[in-house]
Amino acid sequence: GSLRFGAPVWRTASSCLVCHSIMVSLALLLHVGLTSLVSALELGPPALISRRRLATAALTLPSCLSAGPVVAAEKGGVQWLLDLPSNFAVQRQLASIVRVRTETVLQADDVTTGATVKLLLLPLGQQAGGSLSADDQLALATYVYSGEGSADVVGKTMTASAARSPGVLKLTQQGAASGYTADDGRRYVRYQYTSQRCAGEYDEGECFGTLSTRRTLATLTMSSVSQYRTNTERERMKEMGQARNVDVLWLLTLSAPVGAAWDSIEPVFERLSKTLRVPMAPD
């Protein structure tokens, strides 16, 4: 019989053919010489091209010529680090925080298992009021910064907050939360839960959309982030004895559908969750 390609395979083959054609065209352009390439990109004579303009021109090349999905460990930042496996395709990544607001600083997906990695930044105070009460925020900060209280209380507080998320019909904590201290002294908390979520309309606990059940392994910590936009501004204000910092919650969630998908990805998640690092700021 004849060979038939499924839609995903056909799209992949088409993408490869397109990429191959582009690469051949690019090779021909390079063969013509730098001068022709520069003229095509409207950058001006080669002698007048700055490195910055060349870098800008390089960014205009098709994305399919890149080596593949970016790995978070390669592009971490001074504010957070994570050793993300290469099979996770990064959908969103912020290496540094310019404005202190609720942000998804990393989201990556593994299409094979349906697993998702997400790192959320949540400023404490008014912005977190919809998720955590003032007492809850104080309990989290007290444990993470001073070790007073218990990791289990922190885990229960966070799972209760997750249970109030839109679309969640049922949420059950799995086991007790645990705390650990990194080499630099920063304290982290790990906990797990299973959630049943409805994507679409639901009424009085009944889902009229798509119902899904996922297992989540979460890791959290806290840090103080400067609200100044640049290092120059921060250093100038520091010399004047002024600081404008806000405490933020870093929440890493690693989730996958329950069953075979979770069973296969759980060992990976166990290792991954321990690689989250929010470095201590220098004195």
Side-chain angles (χ1 to χ4, degrees):
S2 59
L3 289 174
R4 293 185 179 181
F5 291 96
V9 177
W10 173 250
R11 285 196 297 269
T12 301
S14 299
S15 299
C16 290
L17 287 173
V18 172
C19 288
H20 179 266
S21 299
I22 293 174
M23 291 178 70
V24 171
S25 300
L26 181 59
L28 290 174
L29 278 173
L30 292 174
H31 182 70
V32 171
L34 177 62
T35 303
S36 299
L37 176 60
V38 168
S39 299
L41 295 174
E42 297 180 354
L43 291 175
L48 300 179
I49 302 174
S50 66
R51 290 181 180 178
R52 178 175 297 179
R53 296 182 70 188
L54 278 175
T56 302
L59 292 175
T60 64
L61 293 176
S63 59
C64 64
L65 294 179
S66 62
V70 177
V71 178
E74 297 175 351
K75 290 187 65 178
V78 295
Q79 293 171 310
W80 63 274
L81 298 168
L82 187 70
D83 294 335
L84 187 70
S86 59
N87 56 299
F88 281 84
V90 175
Q91 308 300 328
R92 175 180 172 83
Q93 178 173 296
L94 299 178
S96 61
I97 309 303
V98 178
R99 295 182 179 179
V100 183
R101 60 188 179 189
T102 302
E103 291 273 17
T104 298
V105 298
L106 175 70
Q107 180 167 337
D109 301 318
D110 176 19
V111 295
T112 304
T113 60
T116 297
V117 172
K118 185 180 292 186
L119 179 60
L120 178 71
L121 174 76
L122 178 63
L124 297 186
Q126 228 174 8
Q127 292 191 57
S131 304
L132 298 164
S133 69
D135 289 341
D136 289 339
Q137 295 182 43
L138 179 60
L140 294 180
T142 300
Y143 178 77
V144 173
Y145 286 141
S146 65
E148 298 178 14
S150 71
D152 195 45
V153 169
V154 171
K156 289 178 179 178
T157 298
M158 294 303 297
T159 51
S161 175
R164 295 191 292 270
S165 300
V168 173
L169 303 182
K170 183 180 179 181
L171 188 145
T172 306
Q173 184 172 344
Q174 303 294 325
S178 60
Y180 66 94
T181 303
D183 294 340
D184 61 3
R186 189 175 298 284
R187 192 170 285 103
Y188 297 79
V189 177
R190 299 173 72 219
Y191 58 97
Q192 293 191 38
Y193 58 86
T194 300
S195 60
Q196 193 175 66
R197 183 183 297 269
C198 177
E201 295 185 7
Y202 67 94
D203 182 46
E204 296 183 355
E206 184 176 359
C207 179
F208 297 97
T210 303
L211 189 65
S212 62
T213 305
R214 297 177 71 87
R215 181 80 172 260
T216 299
L217 171 59
T219 303
L220 70 82
T221 190
M222 291 176 61
S223 71
S224 181
V225 176
S226 173
Q227 290 184 297
Y228 293 121
R229 300 287 185 86
T230 65
N231 290 331
T232 302
E233 183 182 11
R234 182 162 52 250
E235 290 301 321
R236 184 168 65 250
M237 293 298 103
K238 183 178 180 180
E239 291 174 359
M240 298 172 60
Q242 298 182 18
R244 196 171 70 184
N245 298 330
V246 61
D247 289 316
V248 298
L249 177 71
W250 298 86
L251 178 61
L252 174 67
T253 56
L254 315 173
S255 68
V258 295
W262 174 261
D263 294 340
S264 66
I265 202 72
E266 184 179 13
V268 177
F269 277 174
E270 285 287 344
R271 293 190 297 271
L272 176 58
S273 67
K274 297 175 183 177
T275 69
L276 174 64
R277 286 292 178 269
V278 179
M280 300 288 282
D283 297 329

